[in-house]
Amino acid sequence: MPAPSLLKRTSPEPWRSLIAAIFTGNDPVEGAFLRESWSSVLLPGGLVLDDDHMSAFAETVRGEGDESVLACAILPGFAFGDCYEVPLVEAAFEELLTETELGQMDTAVFSRSGLWGLYATPDMFGVFGATSALMAKFVALAGGPQELEKRFRLLMEENAIGSGPRGR
């Protein structure tokens, strides 16, 4: 008997205006976030961050009162597909990646607060953007800017980035 799902499917309708306020479109590197005052950082892994980044991410967003996040498929033309409420545990993100269509497409991950967003790609990287205060907390918890850059470069050298459906 399969384990019960950690994910709760939801319609994108209630979240359209919030998604549009956070994400500008289908380009995960150039202008993925609307709010110019936000800081952003490239993260390896896409929907499934490595353990250290996941811990830093979860602790950062839990500090804002989030125990779960929303993840919505981004379709061509910046339309939205299925959305899921996702608890902040790695197993839920693994399920999102392997048991839903979101692992094969760009995905907007965000909170109801609208203070941060993660644009995850199937090419095994994401762009995390947040207010300056939240980003400073995340970067510190993730080991600092040099550690973030080192891990991202290591993943690039291992050719993990660019192996997804779009193959950069």
Side-chain angles (χ1 to χ4, degrees):
M1 179 174 190
S5 177
L6 296 170
L7 309 175
K8 179 181 173 187
R9 181 177 258 151
T10 182
S11 166
E13 288 306 316
W15 313 114
R16 279 189 198 283
S17 62
L18 184 57
I19 295 168
I22 297 171
F23 303 98
T24 59
N26 289 68
D27 188 339
V29 179
E30 294 295 324
F33 300 100
L34 178 64
R35 298 181 183 155
E36 291 183 19
S37 63
W38 281 12
S39 300
S40 61
V41 64
L42 287 169
L43 297 175
L47 281 176
V48 180
L49 304 175
D50 71 23
D51 290 342
D52 291 337
H53 289 148
M54 184 63 191
S55 294
F57 173 74
E59 188 173 336
T60 299
V61 301
R62 277 192 183 115
E64 296 304 304
D66 297 321
E67 289 300 322
S68 65
V69 300
L70 296 155
C72 296
I74 301 175
L75 305 175
F78 205 53
F80 306 104
D82 288 337
C83 293
Y84 296 87
E85 186 168 351
V86 185
L88 282 170
V89 294
E90 188 172 350
F93 283 85
E94 288 280 351
E95 182 179 341
L96 193 65
L97 179 69
T98 61
E99 302 298 324
T100 74
E101 70 284 359
L102 273 60
Q104 301 301 314
M105 56 185 47
D106 289 352
T107 303
V109 180
F110 57 98
S111 73
R112 289 167 178 83
S113 70
L115 296 176
W116 61 268
L118 172 66
Y119 192 117
T121 75
D123 294 322
M124 299 304 294
F125 76 94
V127 181
F128 177 58
T131 62
S132 298
L134 282 179
M135 185 58 70
K137 181 177 180 181
F138 172 77
V139 169
L141 290 168
Q146 291 81 15
E147 183 64 22
L148 284 167
E149 182 178 349
K150 177 180 150 189
R151 286 182 182 212
F152 192 80
R153 287 182 184 275
L154 180 62
L155 182 65
M156 288 175 61
E157 289 169 7
E158 293 172 351
N159 294 320
I161 291 181
S163 60
R166 291 188 296 220
R168 297 200 194 274

